[in-house]
Amino acid sequence: MHAEGAMLHSKIMAYDLVVIGSGPGGYSAAVRAGQYGLKTAIIEKAPKLGGTCLHVGCVPTKALLHTAEVWDYFLHPAEQGLSCENPQLNLPAVMKRKQDIVDKHAKGITGLMRKNKVEVIAGYGTLLGGGRINVQSAEGTRVIESKAILIATGSEARMIPGLEPDDEFILTNVEILKLQSVPKSLAIIGAGAVGTEFASIFKRYGSQVTVLEMLPRLVPVEDEDVSKELERCFRKAGIRCETGAKASDIQRTGTGVSLNVTLANGKVEPLLVDKLLIAVGRKPNTDKIGLENVPGVQVDRGFIKVGPDQQTGEPGVYAIGDVVAGTPQLAHVATAEGMIAVAAIAGKPFTPINRNRIPGATYTEPGIGSVGLTEAQARQQGYDVKIGKFPFAGNSKASIVGHHEGFVKIVSDAKYGEILGVHIIGPHGYELIAEAVAAMEAEATVDTMINTIHAHPTLYEALGEAFNAVYGQAINF
Ligand code: NAI
């Protein structure tokens, strides 16, 4: 039905599909459209393709986190029976490695566009209505037409009102990636994925890190046990964590930033730091893309409402990724939504997004991976909840890699052994979650997973043990 909607315009259009924005959602959708034989163009305002995820998000941060992991081994060589005198962390070289990775992949995306016959249009795209898009670039302005339009314009860091980022003192995820020396002290406002990942990076690089979160726990979207374990590990690593805290009177001092912190107990404490990172969420890029010209598109606090096929209320206009209402702002969600939208546009079958099958992956130390309902959500929804929990302390591979913090927690329904959610915090938890996502997608039960043979010694054996723990039958703990 919606696929037909995309074809409503009877006049000759230059394109079958125009994608606005080349993040992981937009460029993947363009590739898929090319594979389907649709005449496709992608509009990007930045000099290189790839969007936030590639240039100032997922990829560069994970490169810095990988270096932090390697560096951590250098700092404790004796644990491995090694010695290493006077190791040095050279931040400009670390940043260059990160940038080389980013640039390589940006080039790769350009190659993918060529391979799939997607036309790349440099400039800023604005919807004009009736399948037309205005593209503004240094060369001037032109209007293109398309049967279908896919909005994939992403998001940007939300700021605390009254503050503007700069390159030196008050930073967002963008500016912090340009640092050329490790700050002595770093305060971070917001303990979501961005805040906790940068805390994990800069603590290991040698900064004194303070995390300020207004809610009562770190990573508040995760299961409560995961938040507790992360806070325990952060404190042990020397990261100061203040939850239930409010920052106010934020001022640049000339050499750093001063602020007042109202602690959970009501006490107000002054804090003076070299740098301040603002990581309080992201706002969708929907205010300057001409939505007023497509009145069918419905917006909720800036987020675009879509149907199961990712189509907005305006026939032929689709939206994916961080601009979409109701799904988390994650690169892999954008990509999945892009596949759905393009299938719908091309009249192919698709399966709508199932919120309960979206993996979360936070690359802190220890790492977090999760899918499905938390224990609290499952109880709220009235399930007869049965929990299985297995600590990495009982996993030999965790001891081998020297990271035995954390656990795997299974949230299941006692009635049929349905897997409702899986929550991992521990070594490479963000990779290990893959088994749980596949199991839930295949509607495997706790018993199926108990009968699934897990190789030894592996980190993912901890999942097998946790499924056994649902029946109180873990072996190694
Ligand atoms: P977020 O919404 O996940 O977390 C922001 C945190 O800041 C929340 O815990 C919130 O309670 C807190 N907060 C808000 N205002 C505050 C204030 N004034 N004072 C103190 N705390 C305050 O946003 P974040 O971390 O900026 O990430 C944005 C998006 O990007 C999220 O959807 C996140 O999932 C995604 N992302 C995902 C990553 C991953 O999957 N590894 C990595 C980075 C970002």
Side-chain angles (χ1 to χ4, degrees), residues 356-380:
N356 279 332
R357 305 268 162 76
I358 296 174
T362 307
Y363 298 69
T364 39
E365 179 51 50
I368 300 170
S370 58
V371 60
L373 302 181
T374 63
E375 180 178 351
Q377 287 166 342
R379 291 195 190 284
Q380 267 160 20

mmCIF file with all atom_site columns, all heavy atoms in Angstrom, residues 356-380:
data_model
loop_
_atom_site.group_PDB
_atom_site.id
_atom_site.type_symbol
_atom_site.label_atom_id
_atom_site.label_alt_id
_atom_site.label_comp_id
_atom_site.label_asym_id
_atom_site.label_entity_id
_atom_site.label_seq_id
_atom_site.pdbx_PDB_ins_code
_atom_site.Cartn_x
_atom_site.Cartn_y
_atom_site.Cartn_z
_atom_site.occupancy
_atom_site.B_iso_or_equiv
_atom_site.pdbx_formal_charge
_atom_site.auth_seq_id
_atom_site.auth_comp_id
_atom_site.auth_asym_id
_atom_site.auth_atom_id
_atom_site.pdbx_PDB_model_num
ATOM 1   N N   . ASN A 1 356 ? 12.025 -4.508  20.667 1.00 0.00 ? 356 ASN A N   1
ATOM 2   C CA  . ASN A 1 356 ? 12.592 -5.447  21.645 1.00 0.00 ? 356 ASN A CA  1
ATOM 3   C C   . ASN A 1 356 ? 13.732 -6.291  21.104 1.00 0.00 ? 356 ASN A C   1
ATOM 4   O O   . ASN A 1 356 ? 14.279 -7.122  21.805 1.00 0.00 ? 356 ASN A O   1
ATOM 5   C CB  . ASN A 1 356 ? 11.501 -6.368  22.198 1.00 0.00 ? 356 ASN A CB  1
ATOM 6   C CG  . ASN A 1 356 ? 10.716 -5.678  23.279 1.00 0.00 ? 356 ASN A CG  1
ATOM 7   O OD1 . ASN A 1 356 ? 11.244 -4.803  23.959 1.00 0.00 ? 356 ASN A OD1 1
ATOM 8   N ND2 . ASN A 1 356 ? 9.458  -6.045  23.427 1.00 0.00 ? 356 ASN A ND2 1
ATOM 9   N N   . ARG A 1 357 ? 14.057 -6.087  19.840 1.00 0.00 ? 357 ARG A N   1
ATOM 10  C CA  . ARG A 1 357 ? 15.164 -6.876  19.267 1.00 0.00 ? 357 ARG A CA  1
ATOM 11  C C   . ARG A 1 357 ? 16.324 -5.978  18.844 1.00 0.00 ? 357 ARG A C   1
ATOM 12  O O   . ARG A 1 357 ? 17.145 -6.366  18.029 1.00 0.00 ? 357 ARG A O   1
ATOM 13  C CB  . ARG A 1 357 ? 14.661 -7.628  18.032 1.00 0.00 ? 357 ARG A CB  1
ATOM 14  C CG  . ARG A 1 357 ? 13.455 -8.498  18.274 1.00 0.00 ? 357 ARG A CG  1
ATOM 15  C CD  . ARG A 1 357 ? 13.864 -9.924  18.646 1.00 0.00 ? 357 ARG A CD  1
ATOM 16  N NE  . ARG A 1 357 ? 12.763 -10.631 19.278 1.00 0.00 ? 357 ARG A NE  1
ATOM 17  C CZ  . ARG A 1 357 ? 11.705 -11.136 18.653 1.00 0.00 ? 357 ARG A CZ  1
ATOM 18  N NH1 . ARG A 1 357 ? 11.617 -11.030 17.351 1.00 0.00 ? 357 ARG A NH1 1
ATOM 19  N NH2 . ARG A 1 357 ? 10.771 -11.758 19.312 1.00 0.00 ? 357 ARG A NH2 1
ATOM 20  N N   . ILE A 1 358 ? 16.358 -4.776  19.384 1.00 0.00 ? 358 ILE A N   1
ATOM 21  C CA  . ILE A 1 358 ? 17.437 -3.842  19.031 1.00 0.00 ? 358 ILE A CA  1
ATOM 22  C C   . ILE A 1 358 ? 18.568 -3.976  20.050 1.00 0.00 ? 358 ILE A C   1
ATOM 23  O O   . ILE A 1 358 ? 18.360 -3.724  21.234 1.00 0.00 ? 358 ILE A O   1
ATOM 24  C CB  . ILE A 1 358 ? 16.920 -2.387  19.041 1.00 0.00 ? 358 ILE A CB  1
ATOM 25  C CG1 . ILE A 1 358 ? 15.850 -2.180  17.953 1.00 0.00 ? 358 ILE A CG1 1
ATOM 26  C CG2 . ILE A 1 358 ? 18.083 -1.401  18.849 1.00 0.00 ? 358 ILE A CG2 1
ATOM 27  C CD1 . ILE A 1 358 ? 15.180 -0.818  17.998 1.00 0.00 ? 358 ILE A CD1 1
ATOM 28  N N   . PRO A 1 359 ? 19.752 -4.380  19.597 1.00 0.00 ? 359 PRO A N   1
ATOM 29  C CA  . PRO A 1 359 ? 20.842 -4.450  20.566 1.00 0.00 ? 359 PRO A CA  1
ATOM 30  C C   . PRO A 1 359 ? 21.332 -3.067  20.963 1.00 0.00 ? 359 PRO A C   1
ATOM 31  O O   . PRO A 1 359 ? 21.421 -2.173  20.129 1.00 0.00 ? 359 PRO A O   1
ATOM 32  C CB  . PRO A 1 359 ? 21.949 -5.219  19.823 1.00 0.00 ? 359 PRO A CB  1
ATOM 33  C CG  . PRO A 1 359 ? 21.631 -5.074  18.376 1.00 0.00 ? 359 PRO A CG  1
ATOM 34  C CD  . PRO A 1 359 ? 20.156 -4.830  18.253 1.00 0.00 ? 359 PRO A CD  1
ATOM 35  N N   . GLY A 1 360 ? 21.626 -2.907  22.238 1.00 0.00 ? 360 GLY A N   1
ATOM 36  C CA  . GLY A 1 360 ? 22.325 -1.726  22.718 1.00 0.00 ? 360 GLY A CA  1
ATOM 37  C C   . GLY A 1 360 ? 23.782 -2.124  22.915 1.00 0.00 ? 360 GLY A C   1
ATOM 38  O O   . GLY A 1 360 ? 24.061 -3.263  23.308 1.00 0.00 ? 360 GLY A O   1
ATOM 39  N N   . ALA A 1 361 ? 24.692 -1.221  22.618 1.00 0.00 ? 361 ALA A N   1
ATOM 40  C CA  . ALA A 1 361 ? 26.112 -1.543  22.746 1.00 0.00 ? 361 ALA A CA  1
ATOM 41  C C   . ALA A 1 361 ? 26.839 -0.308  23.245 1.00 0.00 ? 361 ALA A C   1
ATOM 42  O O   . ALA A 1 361 ? 26.893 0.694   22.550 1.00 0.00 ? 361 ALA A O   1
ATOM 43  C CB  . ALA A 1 361 ? 26.676 -1.971  21.395 1.00 0.00 ? 361 ALA A CB  1
ATOM 44  N N   . THR A 1 362 ? 27.343 -0.368  24.464 1.00 0.00 ? 362 THR A N   1
ATOM 45  C CA  . THR A 1 362 ? 28.065 0.770   25.023 1.00 0.00 ? 362 THR A CA  1
ATOM 46  C C   . THR A 1 362 ? 29.473 0.304   25.354 1.00 0.00 ? 362 THR A C   1
ATOM 47  O O   . THR A 1 362 ? 29.653 -0.667  26.091 1.00 0.00 ? 362 THR A O   1
ATOM 48  C CB  . THR A 1 362 ? 27.338 1.298   26.288 1.00 0.00 ? 362 THR A CB  1
ATOM 49  O OG1 . THR A 1 362 ? 25.967 1.543   25.949 1.00 0.00 ? 362 THR A OG1 1
ATOM 50  C CG2 . THR A 1 362 ? 27.952 2.596   26.763 1.00 0.00 ? 362 THR A CG2 1
ATOM 51  N N   . TYR A 1 363 ? 30.461 1.034   24.779 1.00 0.00 ? 363 TYR A N   1
ATOM 52  C CA  . TYR A 1 363 ? 31.840 0.507   24.747 1.00 0.00 ? 363 TYR A CA  1
ATOM 53  C C   . TYR A 1 363 ? 32.675 1.001   25.908 1.00 0.00 ? 363 TYR A C   1
ATOM 54  O O   . TYR A 1 363 ? 33.827 1.389   25.760 1.00 0.00 ? 363 TYR A O   1
ATOM 55  C CB  . TYR A 1 363 ? 32.480 0.872   23.404 1.00 0.00 ? 363 TYR A CB  1
ATOM 56  C CG  . TYR A 1 363 ? 31.763 0.248   22.237 1.00 0.00 ? 363 TYR A CG  1
ATOM 57  C CD1 . TYR A 1 363 ? 30.481 0.676   21.881 1.00 0.00 ? 363 TYR A CD1 1
ATOM 58  C CD2 . TYR A 1 363 ? 32.342 -0.776  21.508 1.00 0.00 ? 363 TYR A CD2 1
ATOM 59  C CE1 . TYR A 1 363 ? 29.802 0.098   20.822 1.00 0.00 ? 363 TYR A CE1 1
ATOM 60  C CE2 . TYR A 1 363 ? 31.675 -1.356  20.431 1.00 0.00 ? 363 TYR A CE2 1
ATOM 61  C CZ  . TYR A 1 363 ? 30.412 -0.916  20.107 1.00 0.00 ? 363 TYR A CZ  1
ATOM 62  O OH  . TYR A 1 363 ? 29.743 -1.490  19.064 1.00 0.00 ? 363 TYR A OH  1
ATOM 63  N N   . THR A 1 364 ? 32.043 0.984   27.102 1.00 0.00 ? 364 THR A N   1
ATOM 64  C CA  . THR A 1 364 ? 32.753 1.366   28.318 1.00 0.00 ? 364 THR A CA  1
ATOM 65  C C   . THR A 1 364 ? 33.676 0.231   28.726 1.00 0.00 ? 364 THR A C   1
ATOM 66  O O   . THR A 1 364 ? 33.703 -0.830  28.108 1.00 0.00 ? 364 THR A O   1
ATOM 67  C CB  . THR A 1 364 ? 31.716 1.607   29.431 1.00 0.00 ? 364 THR A CB  1
ATOM 68  O OG1 . THR A 1 364 ? 30.688 0.614   29.301 1.00 0.00 ? 364 THR A OG1 1
ATOM 69  C CG2 . THR A 1 364 ? 31.098 2.973   29.316 1.00 0.00 ? 364 THR A CG2 1
ATOM 70  N N   . GLU A 1 365 ? 34.437 0.453   29.816 1.00 0.00 ? 365 GLU A N   1
ATOM 71  C CA  . GLU A 1 365 ? 35.179 -0.653  30.420 1.00 0.00 ? 365 GLU A CA  1
ATOM 72  C C   . GLU A 1 365 ? 34.626 -0.850  31.821 1.00 0.00 ? 365 GLU A C   1
ATOM 73  O O   . GLU A 1 365 ? 34.801 0.034   32.643 1.00 0.00 ? 365 GLU A O   1
ATOM 74  C CB  . GLU A 1 365 ? 36.679 -0.331  30.451 1.00 0.00 ? 365 GLU A CB  1
ATOM 75  C CG  . GLU A 1 365 ? 37.535 -1.404  31.080 1.00 0.00 ? 365 GLU A CG  1
ATOM 76  C CD  . GLU A 1 365 ? 37.289 -2.790  30.523 1.00 0.00 ? 365 GLU A CD  1
ATOM 77  O OE1 . GLU A 1 365 ? 37.286 -2.940  29.298 1.00 0.00 ? 365 GLU A OE1 1
ATOM 78  O OE2 . GLU A 1 365 ? 37.082 -3.702  31.321 1.00 0.00 ? 365 GLU A OE2 1
ATOM 79  N N   . PRO A 1 366 ? 33.919 -1.956  32.126 1.00 0.00 ? 366 PRO A N   1
ATOM 80  C CA  . PRO A 1 366 ? 33.581 -3.053  31.226 1.00 0.00 ? 366 PRO A CA  1
ATOM 81  C C   . PRO A 1 366 ? 32.512 -2.661  30.196 1.00 0.00 ? 366 PRO A C   1
ATOM 82  O O   . PRO A 1 366 ? 31.750 -1.727  30.410 1.00 0.00 ? 366 PRO A O   1
ATOM 83  C CB  . PRO A 1 366 ? 33.040 -4.123  32.190 1.00 0.00 ? 366 PRO A CB  1
ATOM 84  C CG  . PRO A 1 366 ? 32.708 -3.425  33.454 1.00 0.00 ? 366 PRO A CG  1
ATOM 85  C CD  . PRO A 1 366 ? 33.416 -2.126  33.485 1.00 0.00 ? 366 PRO A CD  1
ATOM 86  N N   . GLY A 1 367 ? 32.461 -3.435  29.105 1.00 0.00 ? 367 GLY A N   1
ATOM 87  C CA  . GLY A 1 367 ? 31.542 -3.143  28.012 1.00 0.00 ? 367 GLY A CA  1
ATOM 88  C C   . GLY A 1 367 ? 30.119 -3.614  28.308 1.00 0.00 ? 367 GLY A C   1
ATOM 89  O O   . GLY A 1 367 ? 29.901 -4.560  29.069 1.00 0.00 ? 367 GLY A O   1
ATOM 90  N N   . ILE A 1 368 ? 29.171 -2.934  27.676 1.00 0.00 ? 368 ILE A N   1
ATOM 91  C CA  . ILE A 1 368 ? 27.761 -3.252  27.922 1.00 0.00 ? 368 ILE A CA  1
ATOM 92  C C   . ILE A 1 368 ? 27.078 -3.667  26.623 1.00 0.00 ? 368 ILE A C   1
ATOM 93  O O   . ILE A 1 368 ? 27.240 -3.017  25.588 1.00 0.00 ? 368 ILE A O   1
ATOM 94  C CB  . ILE A 1 368 ? 27.021 -2.020  28.507 1.00 0.00 ? 368 ILE A CB  1
ATOM 95  C CG1 . ILE A 1 368 ? 27.676 -1.599  29.833 1.00 0.00 ? 368 ILE A CG1 1
ATOM 96  C CG2 . ILE A 1 368 ? 25.536 -2.313  28.707 1.00 0.00 ? 368 ILE A CG2 1
ATOM 97  C CD1 . ILE A 1 368 ? 27.168 -0.266  30.357 1.00 0.00 ? 368 ILE A CD1 1
ATOM 98  N N   . GLY A 1 369 ? 26.319 -4.745  26.679 1.00 0.00 ? 369 GLY A N   1
ATOM 99  C CA  . GLY A 1 369 ? 25.485 -5.149  25.557 1.00 0.00 ? 369 GLY A CA  1
ATOM 100 C C   . GLY A 1 369 ? 24.128 -5.547  26.104 1.00 0.00 ? 369 GLY A C   1
ATOM 101 O O   . GLY A 1 369 ? 24.048 -6.202  27.159 1.00 0.00 ? 369 GLY A O   1
ATOM 102 N N   . SER A 1 370 ? 23.069 -5.131  25.464 1.00 0.00 ? 370 SER A N   1
ATOM 103 C CA  . SER A 1 370 ? 21.752 -5.494  26.006 1.00 0.00 ? 370 SER A CA  1
ATOM 104 C C   . SER A 1 370 ? 20.724 -5.587  24.901 1.00 0.00 ? 370 SER A C   1
ATOM 105 O O   . SER A 1 370 ? 20.883 -4.978  23.836 1.00 0.00 ? 370 SER A O   1
ATOM 106 C CB  . SER A 1 370 ? 21.305 -4.453  27.039 1.00 0.00 ? 370 SER A CB  1
ATOM 107 O OG  . SER A 1 370 ? 21.251 -3.178  26.442 1.00 0.00 ? 370 SER A OG  1
ATOM 108 N N   . VAL A 1 371 ? 19.697 -6.356  25.153 1.00 0.00 ? 371 VAL A N   1
ATOM 109 C CA  . VAL A 1 371 ? 18.588 -6.467  24.202 1.00 0.00 ? 371 VAL A CA  1
ATOM 110 C C   . VAL A 1 371 ? 17.322 -6.835  24.985 1.00 0.00 ? 371 VAL A C   1
ATOM 111 O O   . VAL A 1 371 ? 17.393 -7.547  25.986 1.00 0.00 ? 371 VAL A O   1
ATOM 112 C CB  . VAL A 1 371 ? 18.889 -7.526  23.106 1.00 0.00 ? 371 VAL A CB  1
ATOM 113 C CG1 . VAL A 1 371 ? 19.125 -8.910  23.684 1.00 0.00 ? 371 VAL A CG1 1
ATOM 114 C CG2 . VAL A 1 371 ? 17.793 -7.563  22.037 1.00 0.00 ? 371 VAL A CG2 1
ATOM 115 N N   . GLY A 1 372 ? 16.197 -6.309  24.530 1.00 0.00 ? 372 GLY A N   1
ATOM 116 C CA  . GLY A 1 372 ? 14.914 -6.687  25.129 1.00 0.00 ? 372 GLY A CA  1
ATOM 117 C C   . GLY A 1 372 ? 14.616 -5.972  26.431 1.00 0.00 ? 372 GLY A C   1
ATOM 118 O O   . GLY A 1 372 ? 15.158 -4.904  26.716 1.00 0.00 ? 372 GLY A O   1
ATOM 119 N N   . LEU A 1 373 ? 13.733 -6.589  27.223 1.00 0.00 ? 373 LEU A N   1
ATOM 120 C CA  . LEU A 1 373 ? 13.229 -5.940  28.432 1.00 0.00 ? 373 LEU A CA  1
ATOM 121 C C   . LEU A 1 373 ? 14.235 -6.024  29.578 1.00 0.00 ? 373 LEU A C   1
ATOM 122 O O   . LEU A 1 373 ? 14.916 -7.041  29.743 1.00 0.00 ? 373 LEU A O   1
ATOM 123 C CB  . LEU A 1 373 ? 11.929 -6.622  28.890 1.00 0.00 ? 373 LEU A CB  1
ATOM 124 C CG  . LEU A 1 373 ? 10.763 -6.667  27.899 1.00 0.00 ? 373 LEU A CG  1
ATOM 125 C CD1 . LEU A 1 373 ? 9.558  -7.366  28.536 1.00 0.00 ? 373 LEU A CD1 1
ATOM 126 C CD2 . LEU A 1 373 ? 10.378 -5.255  27.452 1.00 0.00 ? 373 LEU A CD2 1
ATOM 127 N N   . THR A 1 374 ? 14.299 -4.958  30.371 1.00 0.00 ? 374 THR A N   1
ATOM 128 C CA  . THR A 1 374 ? 15.049 -5.032  31.629 1.00 0.00 ? 374 THR A CA  1
ATOM 129 C C   . THR A 1 374 ? 14.179 -5.825  32.614 1.00 0.00 ? 374 THR A C   1
ATOM 130 O O   . THR A 1 374 ? 12.984 -6.052  32.374 1.00 0.00 ? 374 THR A O   1
ATOM 131 C CB  . THR A 1 374 ? 15.306 -3.632  32.213 1.00 0.00 ? 374 THR A CB  1
ATOM 132 O OG1 . THR A 1 374 ? 14.036 -3.039  32.530 1.00 0.00 ? 374 THR A OG1 1
ATOM 133 C CG2 . THR A 1 374 ? 16.053 -2.753  31.224 1.00 0.00 ? 374 THR A CG2 1
ATOM 134 N N   . GLU A 1 375 ? 14.782 -6.196  33.747 1.00 0.00 ? 375 GLU A N   1
ATOM 135 C CA  . GLU A 1 375 ? 14.004 -6.935  34.749 1.00 0.00 ? 375 GLU A CA  1
ATOM 136 C C   . GLU A 1 375 ? 12.810 -6.095  35.206 1.00 0.00 ? 375 GLU A C   1
ATOM 137 O O   . GLU A 1 375 ? 11.679 -6.596  35.283 1.00 0.00 ? 375 GLU A O   1
ATOM 138 C CB  . GLU A 1 375 ? 14.905 -7.301  35.938 1.00 0.00 ? 375 GLU A CB  1
ATOM 139 C CG  . GLU A 1 375 ? 14.140 -8.061  37.014 1.00 0.00 ? 375 GLU A CG  1
ATOM 140 C CD  . GLU A 1 375 ? 15.008 -8.481  38.199 1.00 0.00 ? 375 GLU A CD  1
ATOM 141 O OE1 . GLU A 1 375 ? 16.245 -8.346  38.124 1.00 0.00 ? 375 GLU A OE1 1
ATOM 142 O OE2 . GLU A 1 375 ? 14.417 -8.951  39.197 1.00 0.00 ? 375 GLU A OE2 1
ATOM 143 N N   . ALA A 1 376 ? 13.059 -4.804  35.466 1.00 0.00 ? 376 ALA A N   1
ATOM 144 C CA  . ALA A 1 376 ? 11.979 -3.940  35.962 1.00 0.00 ? 376 ALA A CA  1
ATOM 145 C C   . ALA A 1 376 ? 10.855 -3.833  34.923 1.00 0.00 ? 376 ALA A C   1
ATOM 146 O O   . ALA A 1 376 ? 9.667  -3.919  35.271 1.00 0.00 ? 376 ALA A O   1
ATOM 147 C CB  . ALA A 1 376 ? 12.539 -2.557  36.289 1.00 0.00 ? 376 ALA A CB  1
ATOM 148 N N   . GLN A 1 377 ? 11.224 -3.678  33.648 1.00 0.00 ? 377 GLN A N   1
ATOM 149 C CA  . GLN A 1 377 ? 10.188 -3.572  32.588 1.00 0.00 ? 377 GLN A CA  1
ATOM 150 C C   . GLN A 1 377 ? 9.387  -4.869  32.511 1.00 0.00 ? 377 GLN A C   1
ATOM 151 O O   . GLN A 1 377 ? 8.162  -4.846  32.356 1.00 0.00 ? 377 GLN A O   1
ATOM 152 C CB  . GLN A 1 377 ? 10.842 -3.300  31.235 1.00 0.00 ? 377 GLN A CB  1
ATOM 153 C CG  . GLN A 1 377 ? 11.368 -1.876  31.094 1.00 0.00 ? 377 GLN A CG  1
ATOM 154 C CD  . GLN A 1 377 ? 12.311 -1.721  29.896 1.00 0.00 ? 377 GLN A CD  1
ATOM 155 O OE1 . GLN A 1 377 ? 12.837 -2.704  29.374 1.00 0.00 ? 377 GLN A OE1 1
ATOM 156 N NE2 . GLN A 1 377 ? 12.530 -0.485  29.481 1.00 0.00 ? 377 GLN A NE2 1
ATOM 157 N N   . ALA A 1 378 ? 10.066 -6.017  32.593 1.00 0.00 ? 378 ALA A N   1
ATOM 158 C CA  . ALA A 1 378 ? 9.368  -7.305  32.495 1.00 0.00 ? 378 ALA A CA  1
ATOM 159 C C   . ALA A 1 378 ? 8.383  -7.463  33.652 1.00 0.00 ? 378 ALA A C   1
ATOM 160 O O   . ALA A 1 378 ? 7.255  -7.932  33.473 1.00 0.00 ? 378 ALA A O   1
ATOM 161 C CB  . ALA A 1 378 ? 10.383 -8.444  32.480 1.00 0.00 ? 378 ALA A CB  1
ATOM 162 N N   . ARG A 1 379 ? 8.802  -7.045  34.853 1.00 0.00 ? 379 ARG A N   1
ATOM 163 C CA  . ARG A 1 379 ? 7.899  -7.149  36.007 1.00 0.00 ? 379 ARG A CA  1
ATOM 164 C C   . ARG A 1 379 ? 6.707  -6.213  35.838 1.00 0.00 ? 379 ARG A C   1
ATOM 165 O O   . ARG A 1 379 ? 5.569  -6.594  36.100 1.00 0.00 ? 379 ARG A O   1
ATOM 166 C CB  . ARG A 1 379 ? 8.654  -6.839  37.304 1.00 0.00 ? 379 ARG A CB  1
ATOM 167 C CG  . ARG A 1 379 ? 9.682  -7.917  37.653 1.00 0.00 ? 379 ARG A CG  1
ATOM 168 C CD  . ARG A 1 379 ? 10.179 -7.825  39.094 1.00 0.00 ? 379 ARG A CD  1
ATOM 169 N NE  . ARG A 1 379 ? 11.315 -8.721  39.280 1.00 0.00 ? 379 ARG A NE  1
ATOM 170 C CZ  . ARG A 1 379 ? 11.225 -10.044 39.407 1.00 0.00 ? 379 ARG A CZ  1
ATOM 171 N NH1 . ARG A 1 379 ? 10.041 -10.643 39.403 1.00 0.00 ? 379 ARG A NH1 1
ATOM 172 N NH2 . ARG A 1 379 ? 12.316 -10.781 39.549 1.00 0.00 ? 379 ARG A NH2 1
ATOM 173 N N   . GLN A 1 380 ? 7.009  -4.986  35.350 1.00 0.00 ? 380 GLN A N   1
ATOM 174 C CA  . GLN A 1 380 ? 5.912  -4.017  35.126 1.00 0.00 ? 380 GLN A CA  1
ATOM 175 C C   . GLN A 1 380 ? 4.892  -4.565  34.148 1.00 0.00 ? 380 GLN A C   1
ATOM 176 O O   . GLN A 1 380 ? 3.697  -4.310  34.249 1.00 0.00 ? 380 GLN A O   1
ATOM 177 C CB  . GLN A 1 380 ? 6.468  -2.725  34.530 1.00 0.00 ? 380 GLN A CB  1
ATOM 178 C CG  . GLN A 1 380 ? 6.813  -1.661  35.547 1.00 0.00 ? 380 GLN A CG  1
ATOM 179 C CD  . GLN A 1 380 ? 7.790  -0.648  34.959 1.00 0.00 ? 380 GLN A CD  1
ATOM 180 O OE1 . GLN A 1 380 ? 7.911  -0.543  33.737 1.00 0.00 ? 380 GLN A OE1 1
ATOM 181 N NE2 . GLN A 1 380 ? 8.480  0.065   35.821 1.00 0.00 ? 380 GLN A NE2 1
#
